[in-house]
Amino acid sequence: MPLPEDLRRLPGLKTDDDEPVFAEPWQAQAFAMTVKLHETGLFTWTEWADALGREIAAAGPDDAAENYYLRWLAALEKITQQKGALSEAERLERKDAWDRAARATPHGKPIELGAETRD
């Protein structure tokens, strides 16, 4: 499915045959979450582009290209908090839950929240 025109204009978004290209699965997940949150009306593409642009600008001109999705994730965290989708405490709680789950997950296996509490 071709990207919307607004997304095709995002700086640094690599595409192949008009589809986004990701180096890691988490990048695709962050991208998908952003698209879904936009579709639910949490933010406009203009608001998203502004948020992402601020993160890229704050990183400076010498930031490595491979950090693009780190900036994407930072922008996503900030815009969801600014829009009231979650509080800072909720964000930190979820981040901690993912960290615990990642440490409890064998290498090469999908990370599942709550896996660290299962026998």
Side-chain angles (χ1 to χ4, degrees):
M1 176 173 90
L3 290 171
E5 181 63 32
D6 290 346
L7 281 178
R8 285 196 298 260
R9 292 184 294 182
L10 285 174
L13 182 62
K14 295 180 184 179
T15 61
D16 182 14
D17 294 330
D18 207 27
E19 293 289 328
V21 176
F22 307 101
E24 300 285 338
W26 71 266
Q27 296 171 350
Q29 292 169 340
F31 181 87
M33 284 189 294
T34 303
V35 171
K36 186 64 174 175
L37 289 169
H38 163 72
E39 288 174 350
T40 65
L42 187 64
F43 49 77
T44 66
W45 284 132
T46 299
E47 289 172 319
W48 170 250
D50 290 345
L52 179 58
R54 283 190 298 275
E55 290 300 317
I56 292 169
D62 296 328
D63 191 34
E66 59 266 17
N67 292 334
Y68 179 74
Y69 278 100
L70 292 175
R71 306 302 160 241
W72 185 287
L73 186 57
L76 185 58
E77 288 178 345
K78 287 179 182 174
I79 199 168
T80 54
Q81 189 173 350
Q82 290 166 351
K83 294 290 189 167
L86 76 163
S87 69
E88 176 67 3
E90 290 169 320
R91 184 187 71 79
L92 292 174
E93 182 181 315
R94 288 180 186 169
K95 182 177 179 183
D96 186 52
W98 274 107
D99 288 343
R100 286 191 315 271
R103 284 191 300 275
T105 302
H107 180 73
K109 299 291 183 184
I111 297 172
E112 294 182 43
L113 285 176
E116 72 281 6
T117 60
R118 291 186 214 133
D119 291 319

